């Protein structure tokens, strides 16, 4: 992946966060080798974003993506989880 590319921005993240409830978030670490990226030349998006993710995502049904690509990846390992309190 090229330095500064959108592909690198999306795929080269090694920490993730997930909401547990209104006051608690978990942080976790991901480990994986760099993945090979392939450009997609033809695609169709068939998704009701509002039904799937809620009203605030409904705009995606009328939005075209800036980039479409797929990663040829390997296994991803998830390591430690740390709890955080949201304030």
């Amino acid at each position: 992946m090229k330095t500064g590319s959108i592909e690198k921005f999306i795929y080269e993240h090694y920490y993730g966060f997930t909401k547990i409830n209104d006051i608690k978030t978990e942080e976790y670490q991901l480990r994986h080798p760099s993945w090979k990226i392939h450009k997609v030349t033809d695609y169709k998006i068939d998704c009701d974003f509002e039904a799937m993710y809620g009203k605030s995502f409904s705009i995606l049904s009328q939005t075209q993506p800036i980039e479409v690509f797929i990663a040829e990846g390997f296994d991803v390992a998830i390591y430690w989880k740390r709890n955080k309190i949201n304030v």
Side-chain angles (χ1 to χ4, degrees), residues 1-69:
M1 288 181 248
K2 294 179 185 172
T3 301
S5 68
I6 191 164
E7 294 93 340
K8 190 163 183 80
F9 175 77
I10 290 174
Y11 287 114
E12 296 290 321
H13 282 88
Y14 296 96
Y15 296 91
F17 302 88
T18 186
K19 180 180 177 178
I20 302 302
N21 57 40
D22 287 341
I23 60 168
K24 188 175 174 184
T25 301
E26 281 188 348
E27 174 188 24
Y28 53 92
Q29 182 184 37
L30 300 162
R31 292 187 189 169
H32 63 80
S34 192
W35 295 342
K36 186 175 181 180
I37 299 298
H38 303 280
K39 294 284 185 184
V40 174
T41 57
D42 190 28
Y43 67 93
K44 179 181 177 185
I45 298 172
D46 184 12
C47 178
D48 183 342
F49 290 99
E50 183 173 353
M52 196 90 149
Y53 302 108
K55 189 165 183 72
S56 59
F57 287 87
S58 65
I59 188 69
L60 294 177
S61 294
Q62 295 88 39
T63 304
Q64 293 296 313
I66 295 169
E67 292 273 348
V68 179
F69 49 87

